Amino acid sequence: MTWRWHERNSARLALAVSILYLASLVLPFLAWIRPLLGTVLLVFLLGHMVRCVLRIAFGTNRLLALWSWPGLALDFLLSLAIALAVAVALLVAFEFSDLTYEVTILGLTCGLSLAILFSRSPMGFHGAPRRLNISLISGSLVLLAFSLILFYSYNSQTPYPAVRGYDQNATMAIVGWMQAHHGFAYLLVPPFPASALIPYPASLAHLVAAYSTFLGVDPTAIFYYGVAAMLIGYSEAVF
């Protein structure tokens, strides 16, 4: 019998990134890596830790390989759902701030990581370790480079902070109100103007407020650089 060393290594990685993120909050010379570390935590590691805990709790690794493409896609979706749920809960309670959101996300990530490291759930060894698929890795790197080139060509004529999109100002107004008042009472934005009949979900504003708060960047940067993230994510998912 062997321990779940893959999950334990993932837990060590999550703890290391969390500690570096905390250091970036208090040490000015590390502030430049906060957006990168925050992205890794909020987009991937949060959901990854949840899946690791579930694998250990149910005592199986047969459903999705820990580092398979379907597994990583599930990690992303779990992270998105948890980040949104935490933001909505804090916003509705008017308790949303840098401190409360950061503490909640880091607390969840570190708590799950420590639970994995202190677990004593054994597992049988299933076959030999898989060899790296060089063609898959090289194809992913090519798509990554192509996505970044496409992002640069699309935005070369409109450098940051100029953002294309007619709905940016409306969303930015809601996000600004959320961050200024530390909350937002609506899950659906009331129809505006009065001639509008159907409200629309506030989830986009919730996510922009959450990501900009945790990454320590202006909400405009989420709109601008989010295009690159969507290009990379879509191309890799299709591949």
Side-chain angles (χ1 to χ4, degrees):
M1 304 295 283
T2 60
W3 296 106
R4 294 183 176 273
W5 65 277
H6 288 296
E7 285 82 354
R8 293 170 70 86
N9 286 339
S10 294
R12 294 186 185 99
L13 173 63
L15 282 176
V17 174
S18 299
I19 292 172
L20 285 175
Y21 179 85
L22 283 173
S24 70
L25 296 178
V26 297
L27 300 176
F29 67 90
L30 290 178
W32 64 275
I33 63 171
R34 178 185 173 185
L36 176 61
L37 297 172
T39 300
V40 173
L41 282 167
L42 207 57
V43 173
F44 170 65
L45 284 177
L46 182 59
H48 188 63
M49 288 298 96
V50 171
R51 190 159 66 92
C52 288
V53 168
L54 291 177
R55 284 163 60 92
I56 292 177
F58 289 99
T60 180
N61 65 347
R62 298 179 183 274
L63 298 178
L64 285 175
L66 190 64
W67 291 100
S68 65
W69 286 114
L72 296 179
L74 181 58
D75 293 338
F76 169 78
L77 293 175
L78 284 173
S79 298
L80 181 69
I82 296 171
L84 178 60
V86 171
V88 170
L90 292 174
L91 285 164
V92 171
F94 280 81
E95 296 291 341
F96 184 81
S97 66
D98 292 1
L99 179 61
T100 56
Y101 194 70
E102 290 164 0
V103 167
T104 304
I105 296 297
L106 288 175
L108 284 172
T109 305
C110 294
L112 293 170
S113 302
L114 291 173
I116 294 169
L117 291 176
F118 286 106
S119 68
R120 290 294 182 267
S121 175
M123 114 179 145
F125 182 73
H126 298 281
R130 296 182 178 180
R131 299 177 62 182
L132 290 177
N133 190 330
I134 302 301
S135 61
L136 183 63
I137 295 175
S138 59
S140 299
L141 292 176
V142 169
L143 286 174
L144 173 62
F146 178 76
S147 299
L148 293 176
I149 292 172
L150 187 61
F151 168 75
Y152 175 77
S153 63
Y154 178 78
N155 290 288
S156 59
Q157 301 302 318
T158 54
Y160 182 80
V163 179
R164 298 178 181 180
Y166 68 92
D167 59 344
Q168 176 200 352
N169 291 334
T171 304
M172 288 290 291
I174 299 173
V175 172
W177 199 96
M178 288 177 174
Q179 293 179 330
H181 295 82
H182 306 293
F184 191 67
Y186 302 100
L187 298 179
L188 296 175
V189 178
F192 181 85
S195 58
L197 299 178
I198 302 176
Y200 61 92
S203 54
L204 175 60
H206 290 145
L207 281 174
V208 172
Y211 282 115
S212 65
T213 296
F214 197 76
L215 272 58
V217 298
D218 190 89
T220 306
I222 306 299
F223 277 94
Y224 188 84
Y225 294 105
V227 175
M230 287 187 290
L231 287 171
I232 294 171
Y234 182 77
S235 62
E236 298 289 352
V238 171
F239 178 65

Coordinates of all heavy atoms in Angstrom, one line a residue, residues 63-102:
L63 N -12.1 7.7 -11.1 CA -13.0 8.6 -11.9 C -12.3 9.5 -12.9 O -12.5 9.4 -14.1 CB -13.9 9.4 -10.9 CG -14.7 8.6 -10.0 CD1 -15.5 9.5 -9.0 CD2 -15.7 7.7 -10.7
L64 N -11.4 10.3 -12.4 CA -10.7 11.2 -13.3 C -9.2 11.3 -12.7 O -9.0 11.5 -11.5 CB -11.3 12.6 -13.3 CG -12.5 12.9 -14.0 CD1 -13.0 14.3 -13.8 CD2 -12.3 12.6 -15.5
A65 N -8.3 11.1 -13.6 CA -6.9 11.2 -13.2 C -6.6 12.6 -12.6 O -7.1 13.6 -13.2 CB -5.9 10.8 -14.3
L66 N -5.8 12.6 -11.6 CA -5.6 13.9 -10.9 C -5.1 15.0 -11.9 O -5.5 16.1 -11.8 CB -4.6 13.7 -9.8 CG -4.5 14.9 -8.8 CD1 -5.8 15.2 -8.1 CD2 -3.4 14.7 -7.8
W67 N -4.1 14.7 -12.8 CA -3.6 15.7 -13.6 C -4.0 15.4 -15.1 O -3.3 15.8 -16.0 CB -2.0 15.7 -13.5 CG -1.6 16.2 -12.2 CD1 -1.2 15.4 -11.1 CD2 -1.5 17.5 -11.8 NE1 -0.9 16.2 -10.1 CE2 -1.1 17.5 -10.4 CE3 -1.8 18.7 -12.4 CZ2 -0.9 18.7 -9.7 CZ3 -1.6 19.9 -11.7 CH2 -1.2 19.9 -10.4
S68 N -5.1 14.8 -15.3 CA -5.6 14.7 -16.7 C -6.3 16.0 -17.1 O -6.7 16.8 -16.3 CB -6.7 13.5 -16.7 OG -7.8 13.9 -16.0
W69 N -6.5 16.1 -18.4 CA -7.1 17.3 -19.0 C -8.6 17.5 -18.5 O -9.0 18.6 -18.1 CB -7.1 17.4 -20.5 CG -5.7 17.7 -21.0 CD1 -4.9 16.9 -21.7 CD2 -5.0 18.9 -20.9 NE1 -3.7 17.5 -22.0 CE2 -3.7 18.8 -21.5 CE3 -5.2 20.1 -20.2 CZ2 -2.8 19.8 -21.5 CZ3 -4.3 21.1 -20.2 CH2 -3.1 20.9 -20.9
P70 N -9.4 16.4 -18.5 CA -10.7 16.5 -17.9 C -10.7 16.9 -16.4 O -11.5 17.7 -15.9 CB -11.3 15.1 -18.1 CG -10.6 14.5 -19.3 CD -9.2 15.1 -19.1
G71 N -9.7 16.3 -15.7 CA -9.6 16.7 -14.3 C -9.3 18.1 -14.0 O -9.8 18.8 -13.2
L72 N -8.3 18.7 -14.9 CA -8.0 20.1 -14.7 C -9.1 21.0 -15.1 O -9.3 22.0 -14.5 CB -6.7 20.3 -15.6 CG -5.5 19.6 -15.3 CD1 -4.4 19.9 -16.3 CD2 -5.0 19.9 -13.9
A73 N -9.9 20.6 -16.1 CA -11.1 21.4 -16.5 C -12.1 21.4 -15.3 O -12.7 22.4 -15.0 CB -11.7 20.8 -17.7
L74 N -12.2 20.3 -14.7 CA -13.1 20.2 -13.5 C -12.6 21.1 -12.4 O -13.4 21.8 -11.7 CB -13.3 18.8 -13.0 CG -14.2 18.5 -11.8 CD1 -15.6 19.0 -12.1 CD2 -14.3 17.0 -11.5
D75 N -11.3 21.1 -12.2 CA -10.7 22.0 -11.2 C -11.0 23.5 -11.4 O -11.3 24.2 -10.5 CB -9.2 21.8 -11.1 CG -8.8 20.4 -10.7 OD1 -9.6 19.8 -10.0 OD2 -7.6 20.0 -11.0
F76 N -10.9 23.8 -12.7 CA -11.2 25.2 -13.1 C -12.7 25.5 -12.8 O -13.0 26.6 -12.2 CB -10.9 25.4 -14.6 CG -11.5 26.7 -15.1 CD1 -10.8 27.9 -14.9 CD2 -12.6 26.7 -15.9 CE1 -11.3 29.1 -15.4 CE2 -13.1 27.9 -16.4 CZ -12.5 29.1 -16.1
L77 N -13.6 24.6 -13.2 CA -15.0 24.9 -12.9 C -15.3 24.9 -11.5 O -16.1 25.8 -11.0 CB -15.9 23.8 -13.6 CG -15.8 23.8 -15.2 CD1 -16.6 22.6 -15.7 CD2 -16.4 25.1 -15.7
L78 N -14.7 24.1 -10.7 CA -15.0 24.1 -9.2 C -14.4 25.4 -8.6 O -15.1 26.0 -7.8 CB -14.3 22.9 -8.6 CG -14.9 21.5 -8.7 CD1 -14.0 20.4 -8.2 CD2 -16.3 21.5 -8.0
S79 N -13.3 25.8 -9.1 CA -12.7 27.1 -8.6 C -13.6 28.3 -8.9 O -13.8 29.1 -8.1 CB -11.3 27.3 -9.2 OG -10.4 26.3 -8.8
L80 N -14.1 28.3 -10.1 CA -15.0 29.3 -10.6 C -16.3 29.4 -9.7 O -16.7 30.4 -9.2 CB -15.4 29.2 -12.0 CG -16.3 30.2 -12.7 CD1 -15.6 31.5 -12.8 CD2 -16.8 29.7 -14.0
A81 N -16.9 28.2 -9.5 CA -18.1 28.1 -8.7 C -17.9 28.6 -7.2 O -18.7 29.3 -6.7 CB -18.6 26.7 -8.7
I82 N -16.7 28.1 -6.6 CA -16.5 28.4 -5.2 C -16.2 29.9 -5.1 O -16.6 30.6 -4.2 CB -15.3 27.6 -4.7 CG1 -15.7 26.1 -4.7 CG2 -15.0 28.0 -3.3 CD1 -14.6 25.1 -4.4
A83 N -15.3 30.5 -6.0 CA -15.0 31.9 -5.9 C -16.2 32.7 -6.0 O -16.4 33.7 -5.3 CB -14.0 32.2 -7.0
L84 N -17.1 32.4 -6.9 CA -18.4 33.1 -7.1 C -19.3 33.0 -5.9 O -19.8 34.0 -5.5 CB -19.1 32.6 -8.4 CG -20.4 33.3 -8.7 CD1 -20.3 34.8 -8.9 CD2 -21.1 32.7 -9.9
A85 N -19.4 31.8 -5.4 CA -20.3 31.5 -4.2 C -19.8 32.3 -3.0 O -20.7 32.9 -2.3 CB -20.4 30.0 -3.9
V86 N -18.5 32.3 -2.8 CA -18.0 33.1 -1.6 C -18.2 34.6 -1.8 O -18.6 35.3 -0.9 CB -16.5 32.8 -1.4 CG1 -15.9 33.7 -0.4 CG2 -16.3 31.3 -1.0
A87 N -18.0 35.1 -3.0 CA -18.2 36.5 -3.3 C -19.6 36.9 -3.1 O -19.9 37.9 -2.5 CB -17.7 36.8 -4.7
V88 N -20.5 36.1 -3.6 CA -22.0 36.4 -3.5 C -22.4 36.4 -2.0 O -23.1 37.3 -1.6 CB -22.8 35.4 -4.3 CG1 -24.3 35.5 -4.0 CG2 -22.6 35.6 -5.8
A89 N -22.0 35.4 -1.3 CA -22.3 35.3 0.1 C -21.9 36.5 0.9 O -22.6 37.1 1.7 CB -21.8 34.0 0.7
L90 N -20.6 37.0 0.7 CA -20.1 38.1 1.4 C -20.8 39.4 0.9 O -21.0 40.3 1.7 CB -18.6 38.2 1.2 CG -17.8 37.1 1.8 CD1 -16.3 37.3 1.4 CD2 -17.9 37.2 3.4
L91 N -21.1 39.5 -0.4 CA -21.7 40.7 -0.9 C -23.1 40.9 -0.4 O -23.5 42.0 0.0 CB -21.7 40.7 -2.5 CG -20.3 41.0 -3.1 CD1 -20.3 40.5 -4.6 CD2 -20.0 42.5 -3.0
V92 N -23.9 39.8 -0.4 CA -25.3 39.9 0.1 C -25.3 40.2 1.5 O -26.2 41.0 2.0 CB -26.0 38.5 -0.2 CG1 -27.4 38.5 0.5 CG2 -26.2 38.3 -1.7
A93 N -24.3 39.8 2.3 CA -24.3 40.1 3.7 C -23.6 41.5 4.0 O -23.5 41.9 5.1 CB -23.5 39.0 4.5
F94 N -23.2 42.1 2.9 CA -22.4 43.4 3.0 C -21.2 43.3 3.9 O -20.9 44.2 4.8 CB -23.4 44.5 3.5 CG -24.3 45.1 2.4 CD1 -25.4 44.4 2.1 CD2 -23.9 46.2 1.8 CE1 -26.2 44.9 1.1 CE2 -24.7 46.7 0.7 CZ -25.9 46.1 0.4
E95 N -20.5 42.2 3.7 CA -19.2 41.9 4.5 C -18.1 41.8 3.5 O -17.0 41.2 3.9 CB -19.4 40.7 5.3 CG -20.4 40.8 6.4 CD -20.0 41.7 7.5 OE1 -18.8 42.0 7.6 OE2 -20.9 42.2 8.3
F96 N -18.2 42.2 2.3 CA -17.2 42.0 1.2 C -16.1 43.1 1.4 O -16.4 44.3 1.3 CB -17.9 42.1 -0.1 CG -16.9 41.8 -1.3 CD1 -16.6 40.5 -1.6 CD2 -16.3 42.9 -2.0 CE1 -15.7 40.2 -2.7 CE2 -15.4 42.6 -3.0 CZ -15.1 41.3 -3.4
S97 N -14.9 42.7 1.5 CA -13.7 43.6 1.6 C -12.5 42.8 1.2 O -12.5 41.5 1.1 CB -13.6 44.2 2.9 OG -13.2 43.2 3.9
D98 N -11.4 43.5 1.0 CA -10.1 42.8 0.7 C -9.8 41.7 1.8 O -9.5 40.6 1.5 CB -9.0 43.8 0.7 CG -9.1 44.7 -0.5 OD1 -10.0 44.6 -1.3 OD2 -8.2 45.5 -0.7
L99 N -10.0 42.1 3.1 CA -9.6 41.2 4.2 C -10.5 40.0 4.2 O -10.1 38.9 4.3 CB -9.7 42.0 5.5 CG -9.4 41.2 6.7 CD1 -8.0 40.7 6.7 CD2 -9.6 42.1 8.0
T100 N -11.8 40.2 4.2 CA -12.8 39.1 4.3 C -12.7 38.1 3.2 O -12.7 36.9 3.4 CB -14.2 39.6 4.5 OG1 -14.6 40.4 3.3 CG2 -14.4 40.4 5.7
Y101 N -12.5 38.6 2.0 CA -12.5 37.7 0.8 C -11.1 37.0 0.8 O -11.1 35.8 0.5 CB -12.7 38.5 -0.5 CG -13.0 37.6 -1.7 CD1 -14.2 36.9 -1.8 CD2 -12.0 37.4 -2.7 CE1 -14.4 36.1 -2.8 CE2 -12.3 36.5 -3.7 CZ -13.5 35.9 -3.8 OH -13.7 35.0 -4.9
E102 N -10.0 37.7 1.0 CA -8.7 37.0 1.0 C -8.7 36.0 2.1 O -8.2 34.8 1.9 CB -7.6 38.0 1.2 CG -7.4 38.9 0.0 CD -6.6 40.2 0.3 OE1 -6.2 40.3 1.5 OE2 -6.4 41.0 -0.6

